[in-house]
């Protein structure tokens, strides 16, 4: 198995079940580790009873809520996978998403991280989820609002990306 999906849960309700179901429909095999941070809504128990280990789903229960990062770190330390996907329980993956992320990482030997485009309910890229790597200049352009001139003069590019100019998915590698 080359991909492990780690989902940290805290009272995500039925959304957690939809998230895990979508991950399991992936065109690329993945194991799923749900780390439950002391939820009281029964969502993790539902996932465990419906999927259990027979579907490559493990549910780990924390007696208290240590927070997101400690929960992820504990699960990631146990992973033997080549790639680890950190997924929030309110994210519903399309079946091809994992394959595309894996392909992007394998095409660029300098890449250590890949992130998908996050779409809203209308299929539009959510602006806040797509950013350039920040540096002091780009941060200044963003904070001042001058980033809006970036569509005409690239020197003004900030961390914001003009999602209206996107054409539905750039080719990452040949």
């Amino acid at each position: 198995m080359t991909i492990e999906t780690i989902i940290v849960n805290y009272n995500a309700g039925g959304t957690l079940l939809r998230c895990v179901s979508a991950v399991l429909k992936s065109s690329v095999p993945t194991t799923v580790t749900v780390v439950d941070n002391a939820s009281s809504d029964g969502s993790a128990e539902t996932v465990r009873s419906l999927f259990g280990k027979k579907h490559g789903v493990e549910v780990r229960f924390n007696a208290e809520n240590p927070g997101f990062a400690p929960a992820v770190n504990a699960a990631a330390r146990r992973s033997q996978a080549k790639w680890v996907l950190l997924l929030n329980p309110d994210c519903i993956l399309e079946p091809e998403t994992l394959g595309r992320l894996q392909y992007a990482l394998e095409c660029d030997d300098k890449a250590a991280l890949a992130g998908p485009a996050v779409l809203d309910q209308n299929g539009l890229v959510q602006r806040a989820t797509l950013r350039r790597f920040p540096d002091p200049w780009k941060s200044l352009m963003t904070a001042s609002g001058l980033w809006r001139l970036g569509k005409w003069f690239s020197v003004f590019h900030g961390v914001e990306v003009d999602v209206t100019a996107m054409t539905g998915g750039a080719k990452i590698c040949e």
Side-chain angles (χ1 to χ4, degrees):
M1 187 62 54
T2 60
I3 299 176
E4 177 172 353
T5 301
I6 298 173
I7 303 167
V8 177
N9 178 57
Y10 181 71
N11 292 328
T15 304
L16 176 64
L17 181 59
R18 289 190 298 278
C19 175
V20 172
S21 296
V23 170
L24 294 175
K25 292 176 185 168
S26 174
S27 60
V28 175
T30 181
T31 57
V32 177
T33 300
V34 175
V35 182
D36 185 74
N37 276 349
S39 294
S40 59
D41 68 352
S43 54
E45 289 86 353
T46 300
V47 166
R48 183 177 59 182
S49 69
L50 290 175
F51 297 110
K53 290 185 179 183
K54 66 181 177 184
H55 293 286
V57 177
E58 177 185 4
V59 181
R60 303 186 72 219
F61 293 91
N62 288 327
E64 54 188 39
N65 187 344
F68 178 80
V72 165
N73 289 338
R77 276 193 288 275
R78 297 177 68 232
S79 178
Q80 300 295 315
K82 181 178 180 181
W83 305 111
V84 174
L85 172 68
L86 305 181
L87 190 64
N88 288 337
D90 62 343
C91 294
I92 309 301
L93 296 183
E94 295 294 327
E96 299 301 318
T97 301
L98 282 178
R100 289 178 180 167
L101 291 171
Q102 182 179 17
Y103 179 72
L105 289 167
E106 290 176 350
C107 284
D108 185 348
D109 60 353
K110 294 179 184 176
L113 177 73
V118 178
L119 307 178
D120 66 15
Q121 293 173 339
N122 298 317
L124 301 173
V125 175
Q126 290 187 340
R127 188 180 119 217
T129 65
L130 189 60
R131 305 270 193 220
R132 291 183 183 87
F133 193 82
D135 62 28
W137 180 256
K138 290 177 192 152
S139 297
L140 175 64
M141 293 301 99
T142 298
S144 68
L146 290 172
W147 69 272
R148 291 179 186 90
L149 299 174
K151 65 174 102 176
W152 297 290
F153 307 103
S154 63
V155 70
F156 290 109
H157 281 164
V159 295
E160 295 284 338
V161 174
D162 184 5
V163 296
T164 60
M166 294 183 66
T167 61
K171 218 174 201 176
I172 295 175
C173 49
E174 300 298 321

